[in-house]
Amino acid sequence: MTLTLSINDAQRLPLAPLAAPTRLLLGPGPSNAHPDVLAAMSQTPVGHLDPAFLQLMDEIQAQLRYVWQTENQLTIAVSGTGTAAMEATLANTVEPGDVVLVGVAGYFGNRLVDMAGRYGADVRSITKPWGQVFSLEELRTALETHRPAILALVHAETSTGARQPLEGVGDLCREFDCLLLLDTVTSLGGVPIFLDEWKVDLAYSCSQKGLGCSPGASPFTMGPRAIAKMQQRKTKVANWYLDMNLLGKYWGSDRVYHHTAPINLYYGLREALRLIGEEGLANCWQRHQKNVEYLWQSLEEIGLTPHVEREFRLPTLTTVRIPEGVDGRAIARQLLNEHNIEVGGGLGELAGKVWRVGLMGYNSRPESVDRLVAALKQVLPKQ
């Protein structure tokens, strides 16, 4: 081949083979993947319509129904991060002019507000201070006032570490004839969830937190009422890539090509779900609760206080108040640079006020707590 143009080498780097640092990921996500999950992701890929891969997709769907405790037929893994699955819930059910009511008690409630507005919703919101949750009475008053088509709540608010109680909310939504949409990004796999019993119509999550996989293959589920609303749309779903009318044909019996799936990420997700099934869902939930209680006790012993009331704290993520006079960002840098431990900083209203400590999936072990607390003793100013 004859080249008529000279090659510009300005951006060519003399790179060595990749050598990623080994960190203990105790932030809000991602978490460290189980060695079996890493091994699964390193296996040779097959085609995205290969019979072996289609069987793997079926296994993922069944196991997602198990961890979510739902019988929803349209339960899949979106090829994208949890934010893509979040957007998919709104893209498929929101039509211009629909009233969407969002409970905002943290950063990700605000994200739902922004997304819903982009799809033409008439967005209303109710708010609570970051770290608090909504009562059933507050939700009833809001539904009476706004009469929404969709109520969107965050089950596990990643920015605050608070768990929104769901008992009775689904019945309330049926009473007011609206869909219940639920963010389970930081709860799936580590916090008790009963989608069908709670009458949740739409939910989404991610793969890199409680499930203990890499990001990029994100759980999504639609119940019959949500599917009915989607099928009765007067307009097309505004997002082609996330259109469940199309994706359902790829994940369903038709097996119609839609896009090239991230094969190896689905390998990892399948293995992560297998491990939860092997442990047993109840045991998995109990492990997360036991280890986070050990974390809370250990933090309090060195003078650190969780931000959220104990009743509403997540077992997967704890917001820890930064002591007066301490530079939280500098401490987080020290943990990373000197101890190879990642913790998260605060977002929004909690920026500079808390650290976010995750104990999720494979990382939810006593050894993780011991290592973090030992490092904190070294980097925190002596009282």
Side-chain angles (χ1 to χ4, degrees), residues 57 61 74-79 84-85 88 92 220 230 237 239-261 266:
M57 291 169 65
Q61 288 182 287
L74 185 45
T75 301
I76 71 169
V78 171
S79 298
N92 283 275
F220 168 96
M230 177 181 69
V237 173
N239 189 314
W240 186 91
Y241 186 66
L242 300 175
D243 186 344
M244 288 299 149
N245 295 294
L246 305 176
L247 285 167
K249 293 177 181 177
Y250 175 44
W251 284 85
S253 58
D254 295 342
R255 301 302 189 184
V256 176
Y257 164 74
H258 180 264
H259 68 281
T260 302
Y266 285 165

Side-chain angles (χ1 to χ4, degrees), residues 160-161 292 295-296 299 306-307 313-320 355-359:
T160 69
V292 83
L295 171 68
W296 298 338
L299 291 173
H307 175 66
R313 289 180 203 164
L314 288 170
T316 46
L317 188 140
T318 300
T319 41
V320 183
W355 294 297
R356 291 182 294 155
V357 178
L359 277 184

Side-chain angles (χ1 to χ4, degrees), residues 5 20 51 55 67 110 112 119 126 128 137 155 186 206 210 214 252 274 279 308 313 359 368:
L5 299 173
Q55 179 181 337
V67 295
N110 283 324
L112 282 165
Y119 286 99
I126 51 174
K128 296 282 282 191
E137 292 73 23
H155 181 223
T186 307
C206 72
S214 286
R274 181 193 70 81
E279 182 179 8
V308 177
R313 289 180 203 164
L359 277 184
S368 300

Side-chain angles (χ1 to χ4, degrees), residues 14 23 36 163 173 195 204 239 263 284 291 320 347 361-362:
R23 312 282 200 202
D36 288 357
R163 176 190 56 81
C173 288
L195 287 192
Y204 58 89
N239 189 314
I263 310 298
C284 189
N291 290 327
V320 183
L347 295 174
Y362 179 59

